């Protein structure tokens, strides 16, 4: 079982690193599955809490947040958008991918939903998994419980990330 996490400092840095890594690896012929942040999308909110994800390797792009109106401080995650992105990944050829990249193990996964089954499917098929992981203690604890502490933490360095991914190719 090969699973690793990436936690980069700075707002949006994990998303940027994973999106650029996916582009590089796909250009090299790596059969990547999963989702990364669609970096061309510009958030409508000052806090950047408006996200679209790109299903790997080549789309579609799916919005995963919803507009809740000015002044709302509630979670903007859109359950329908998350469900659509999960379905797109799970409906692909996950078992024959070289790598599964997920932009984030977040609240949905911490609660037992989201991409947990895709992660498990990939690992059972011997597909390495690279996941963005935030710094929140509850999410980290849920991830550690889910993976039985077997995940490797990778440095936020493009070369190290690419080397780990390339080492997992069959």
């Amino acid at each position: 079982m090969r699973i690793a996490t990436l936690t980069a400092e700075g707002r949006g840095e994990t998303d940027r690193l994973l999106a650029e890594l996916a582009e590089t690896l796909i250009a090299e012929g790596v059969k990547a599955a999963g989702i990364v942040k669609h970096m061309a999308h510009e958030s409508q909110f000052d806090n950047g809490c408006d996200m679209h994800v790109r299903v790997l390797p080549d789309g579609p792009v799916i919005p995963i947040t919803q507009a809740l109106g000015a002044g709302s401080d509630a979670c903007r995650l859109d359950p329908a958008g998350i469900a659509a992105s999960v379905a797109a990944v799970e409906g692909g050829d996950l078992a024959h991918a070289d790598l599964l990249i997920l932009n984030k193990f977040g609240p949905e996964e911490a609660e037992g939903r989201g991409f947990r089954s895709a992660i498990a499917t990939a690992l059972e098929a011997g597909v390495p998994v690279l996941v963005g992981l935030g710094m929140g203690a509850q999410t980290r604890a849920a991830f550690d419980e889910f993976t039985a502490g077997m995940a490797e933490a990778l440095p936020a360095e493009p070369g190290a990330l690419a080397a780990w991914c390339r080492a997992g190719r069959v």
Side-chain angles (χ1 to χ4, degrees):
M1 176 173 102
R2 290 188 75 232
I3 185 166
T5 62
L6 168 63
T7 303
E9 291 190 32
R11 182 174 205 82
E13 188 64 8
T14 298
D15 286 323
R16 183 190 66 77
L17 285 167
L18 289 175
E20 289 176 1
L21 175 66
E23 294 261 335
T24 297
L25 295 173
I26 290 168
E28 293 175 4
V30 173
K31 292 184 286 185
I35 61 166
V36 294
K37 182 176 180 179
H38 181 59
M39 300 305 290
H41 174 72
E42 292 187 28
S43 177
Q44 300 174 11
F45 303 102
D46 291 338
N47 66 1
C49 246
D50 175 17
M51 184 183 292
H52 291 192
V53 294
R54 180 172 61 97
V55 178
L56 300 174
D58 53 10
V61 173
I62 301 171
I64 61 167
T65 53
Q66 54 190 332
L68 298 177
S72 175
D73 61 357
C75 177
R76 287 191 171 101
L77 277 180
D78 179 8
I82 297 290
S85 61
V86 170
V89 170
E90 290 182 344
D93 195 10
L94 188 55
H96 295 102
D98 294 325
L99 175 68
L100 174 66
I101 301 174
L102 296 173
N103 71 316
K104 185 175 184 180
F105 184 96
E108 288 291 301
E109 290 77 19
E111 293 293 324
R113 298 180 299 267
F115 285 94
R116 282 178 80 122
S117 63
I119 294 169
T121 298
L123 293 173
E124 288 171 1
V127 175
V129 177
L130 176 58
V131 180
L133 185 60
M135 295 183 188
Q138 289 180 325
T139 302
R140 284 184 167 271
F143 180 80
D144 288 341
E145 182 180 328
F146 176 62
T147 62
M150 297 181 71
E152 177 181 354
L154 298 177
E157 301 169 2
L161 296 170
W164 186 89
C165 295
R166 290 180 188 118
R169 289 192 73 183
V170 176

